[in-house]
Amino acid sequence: MLIKDSEVVDLNTPTGEMRAHIFRPAAPGKYPAILMFSEIFQVTAPIRRTAAMLAGHGFIVACPEIYHEFEPLGTVLAYDEAGTIRGNELKTTKPVDAYDSDAKAVLDYLKSRSDCTGRLGVMGICIGGHLAFRAAMNPEVRAAVCFYATDIHKKSLGLGKNDNSLERAGEIKGELLHIWGRQDPHVPLEGRNMVKARLDEVGTRYTWHEFNGQHAFMRDEGHRYDPALSRLSWDLLLELFNRRLGWGDLDMESDGSAEARH
């Protein structure tokens, strides 16, 4: 499916203006929508390609700049030592409730779009996986995908490094998909087991996959990229989103009449 990826919206949040990058199918019609959280580097080229892939499968995708309070709009951090240091610094400078209000702002925006069916999902990578986990606590979120979500087991997201994500896990009412790399040093076995045990304790509806992969194996840039694992992960992701969010409408006729896609 052809896509449009040039749209940018600046949203008002309690902590200031936040830019979100929008990707959607080019064909007219209504589509389900995904709030997609980036890594600590914000909306990089690999993140844009991931969002484009989602949009090409029939979703409206919004990628917010998670550090909008601290960096000029449009800032992208480099995949180098300086970018890593800055991203990790900001990760624990921003209060947790600011991450939550950002998520609410994007979800409200997506619901308000005339081309959205109102069915919402979230996904995220690295810190974005943790942010997607928290965003899934919003009751309108039907499905969430978390790729190697960092810091949930350590409760170390945000200012003060004392988040309550595990305590609030029972608020997740949609279906959750966790994907991990066993060779990821950021989330060791004991950390993964802690998260899984909590999901079992609160009765979350979830699917859990652990691959022999490193942290960032989905990022199609750099030495840790694993194309085979990425393809398998995409199959899992799309199965969940298609099943829980549906296909939306697709205008198939030149006269403007809508036809359901099956």
Side-chain angles (χ1 to χ4, degrees):
M1 186 181 294
L2 297 178
I3 68 165
K4 297 168 64 176
D5 68 350
S6 59
E7 186 178 354
V8 171
V9 296
D10 295 332
L11 304 175
N12 292 321
T13 79
T15 56
E17 194 172 46
M18 175 179 64
R19 177 159 295 174
H21 302 258
I22 310 300
F23 304 75
R24 60 147 287 156
K30 289 191 174 186
Y31 301 92
I34 307 292
L35 162 56
M36 180 181 144
F37 287 108
S38 68
E39 311 156 296
I40 59 171
F41 306 97
Q42 300 210 112
V43 187
T44 61
I47 291 297
R48 294 184 69 87
R49 289 191 289 270
T50 301
M53 173 76 85
L54 264 178
H57 282 83
F59 300 97
I60 302 164
V61 184
C63 298
E65 295 177 357
I66 61 175
Y67 296 144
H68 63 91
E69 300 94 339
F70 310 102
E71 298 286 352
L73 298 182
T75 296
V76 177
L77 302 178
Y79 289 124
D80 59 15
E81 183 177 3
T84 301
I85 291 172
R86 180 62 172 162
N88 282 324
E89 174 191 12
L90 295 177
K91 179 174 69 172
T92 55
T93 300
K94 180 166 178 165
V96 171
D97 59 359
Y99 288 119
D100 293 342
S101 60
D102 285 354
K104 187 68 165 59
V106 180
L107 292 170
D108 287 346
Y109 162 74
L110 289 171
K111 282 190 297 184
S112 75
R113 287 181 61 112
S114 61
D115 57 356
C116 178
T117 63
R119 293 177 175 241
L120 303 178
V122 297
M123 71 165 286
I125 300 168
C126 190
I127 182 181
H130 193 158
L131 297 180
F133 187 88
R134 293 188 66 87
M137 298 169 189
N138 288 279
E140 64 266 46
V141 173
R142 294 169 175 253
V145 180
C146 304
F147 283 99
Y148 32 87
T150 55
D151 302 322
I152 296 178
H153 67 292
K154 296 192 297 184
K155 304 181 181 181
S156 60
L157 176 69
L159 186 65
K161 299 182 181 182
N162 188 30
D163 70 71
N164 60 354
S165 299
L166 283 179
E167 286 82 353
R168 294 184 59 195
E171 298 177 36
I172 298 174
K173 301 306 180 185
E175 188 170 346
L176 183 64
L177 168 62
H178 269 292
I179 296 177
W180 309 91
R182 289 196 180 98
Q183 286 74 50
D184 183 350
H186 299 288
V187 192
L189 176 61
E190 57 270 23
R192 301 194 303 272
N193 286 344
M194 181 185 299
V195 175
K196 189 173 186 294
R198 178 59 177 163
L199 296 179
D200 287 334
E201 180 183 13
V202 299
T204 306
R205 183 179 181 184
Y206 74 95
T207 303
W208 189 275
H209 290 271
E210 296 189 11
F211 294 120
N212 287 310
Q214 302 182 49
H215 189 75
F217 70 77
M218 286 287 291
R219 185 198 300 158
D220 64 353
E221 185 174 307
H223 68 279
R224 289 178 289 182
Y225 177 46
D226 191 318
L229 295 186
S230 178
R231 184 187 63 78
L232 291 170
S233 298
W234 272 108
D235 287 345
L236 294 166
L237 177 157
L238 291 171
E239 187 282 327
L240 175 63
F241 283 156
N242 288 329
R243 176 167 49 81
R244 296 292 294 162
L245 306 183
W247 292 95
D249 300 327
L250 186 62
D251 188 344
M252 300 294 291
E253 305 293 339
S254 59
D255 63 2
S257 61
E259 181 176 300
R261 175 179 177 179
H262 296 287

